[in-house]
Amino acid sequence: MKIYIDGKLHDEADARISVFDHGLLYGDGVFEGIRFYNRRVFRLEEHIRRLYDSARSILLNIPKTPEEMTAAVLETCRANNMDDGYIRLVITRGVGGLGLSPYKCPTPSVIIIAAPLAIYPPEAYRDGLVVATCATRRPTHDTLSPQVKSLNYLNNVMAKVEAMQAGAEEGLMLNDRGLVAECTADNVFVVRNGAINTPTFAAGALDGITRRAVFDICASLGITISETDISRHDIFTADECFLTGTAAEVIAVTKLDQRVIGTGIPGPVTNRVIAAFKELTRSSGTPF
Ligand code: PXG
């Protein structure tokens, strides 16, 4: 595996960063998770835009133009010579002192990893995921904006642990008002009478790239989709529920908090969205 760090490709064993990097010391940095299919990077431009927005939000100046970053991602994909895989693009604040101040970190670091990825077993895609509600809430807009994909994912990690301890595969995260925000690494959708609903950004949902793809798919398939407040009740009583994320792709949820959702198997609307998403990933993307 070849890993890109600050303009150079390294073997995995030599891919190292400083213990004084504020990405490590404080989780000070931002990242993207991106997929490539058939030697084409899915929605790369949108991921790059979101990365620069996250960085701008935390006053981190990425030492590359978006065009240079795009080229570096494609170069890393080529160097790893895989047809399909996952890209982790990480920007750390860089090396600084043992103090919080980011002003002591002159140069942010750029790390790009391209690797195979399978987060859920094939059975989960066939039968649907088991999800549990977490006590850990999604951060509010006045703590850290839910739109910033920062390197500080402790909240989400703790929520994931809660879900797994409850015997579930993914955790449902509520916001400070007790409404559904999203899962620990996926956006949430519910289906009722053939129409789809998903939480708003105001409720704490990330502006997911896969979420956007679902809106595009619904437009082309003529499925009604809306952003609205969603509570656990709405999921318990939904006909279908599914999640989206770069890593998870589109996957049905068939149980929440031990309760069966709908008929207990992936539903027809979910299956249509999954099929259209597969087609979209197969037929689009930036080639490398
Ligand atoms: N919400 C959160 C909090 C996320 O981190 C998504 C939604 C889905 O967004 P995209 O753009 O991927 O459709 C994410 C995605 C993983 C993993 O290993 C995924 C994410 C971050 C970290 C790990 O599944 N991000």
Side-chain angles (χ1 to χ4, degrees):
M1 192 188 296
K2 292 282 183 195
I3 293 159
Y4 178 104
I5 305 177
D6 298 330
K8 288 202 195 86
L9 287 161
H10 302 264
D11 289 329
E12 195 177 330
D14 303 322
R16 299 208 171 101
I17 62 154
S18 166
V19 294
F20 291 100
D21 193 304
H22 280 209
L24 174 70
L25 291 174
Y26 302 114
D28 187 354
V30 294
F31 78 101
E32 280 294 318
I34 311 170
R35 262 201 200 248
F36 53 98
Y37 300 88
N38 256 325
R39 302 182 83 87
R40 287 204 281 204
V41 184
F42 187 63
R43 302 211 163 190
L44 179 56
E45 209 175 303
E46 292 176 47
H47 281 287
I48 296 287
R49 177 66 205 255
R50 188 171 67 180
L51 178 78
Y52 280 77
D53 287 347
S54 290
R56 184 169 199 144
S57 184
I58 66 161
L59 291 166
L60 193 164
N61 281 320
I62 298 177
K64 273 185 191 310
T65 64
E67 293 71 30
E68 289 165 346
M69 190 65 77
T70 301
V73 168
L74 297 174
E75 180 194 349
T76 308
C77 289
R78 271 193 298 274
N80 284 283
N81 202 26
M82 288 179 286
D83 291 347
D84 300 274
Y86 183 80
I87 299 158
R88 178 58 58 90
L89 175 44
V90 181
I91 316 294
T92 73
R93 185 73 69 177
V95 173
L98 290 176
L100 285 178
S101 174
Y103 298 109
K104 301 229 166 100
C105 308
T107 323
S109 269
V110 178
I111 300 165
I112 308 172
I113 306 166
L117 178 81
I119 54 164
Y120 297 122
E123 305 85 78
Y125 289 90
R126 189 192 61 211
D127 304 334
L129 269 188
V130 172
V131 173
T133 307
C134 308
T136 305
R137 300 287 173 109
R138 188 82 176 128
T140 53
H141 294 267
D142 55 352
T143 50
L144 176 63
S145 168
Q147 296 310 331
V148 175
K149 271 185 79 74
S150 84
L151 293 184
N152 196 326
Y153 256 55
L154 248 194
N155 239 57
N156 301 52
V157 171
M158 290 302 105
K160 184 89 180 179
V161 167
E162 278 186 60
M164 293 176 86
Q165 286 182 342
E169 292 157 296
E170 177 54 304
L172 183 74
M173 298 185 79
L174 308 179
N175 63 22
D176 57 323
R177 294 169 59 211
L179 295 170
V180 173
E182 57 180 11
C183 284
T184 68
D186 313 288
N187 290 110
V188 180
F189 299 78
V190 292
V191 183
R192 192 179 182 89
N193 298 331
I196 301 179
N197 281 313
T198 194
T200 61
F201 302 147
L206 178 75
D207 183 1
I209 307 296
T210 322
R211 180 183 186 274
R212 291 188 203 170
V214 168
F215 276 80
D216 294 346
I217 285 166
C218 287
S220 70
L221 295 182
I223 299 171
T224 304
I225 184 164
S226 320
E227 296 172 288
T228 182
D229 282 346
I230 290 177
S231 65
R232 287 167 76 224
H233 167 85
D234 299 317
I235 302 182
F236 292 147
T237 59
D239 299 329
E240 304 175 33
C241 177
F242 64 88
L243 309 182
T244 68
T246 297
E249 303 176 289
V250 183
I251 188 164
V253 177
T254 46
K255 260 189 188 174
L256 173 65
D257 301 333
Q258 326 262 14
R259 304 193 196 194
V260 172
I261 299 168
T263 58
I265 58 167
V269 176
T270 302
N271 285 335
R272 278 181 81 196
V273 173
I274 290 172
F277 182 74
K278 281 215 175 94
E279 179 55 31
L280 192 61
T281 57
R282 225 159 37 84
S283 61
S284 61
T286 309
F288 59 83

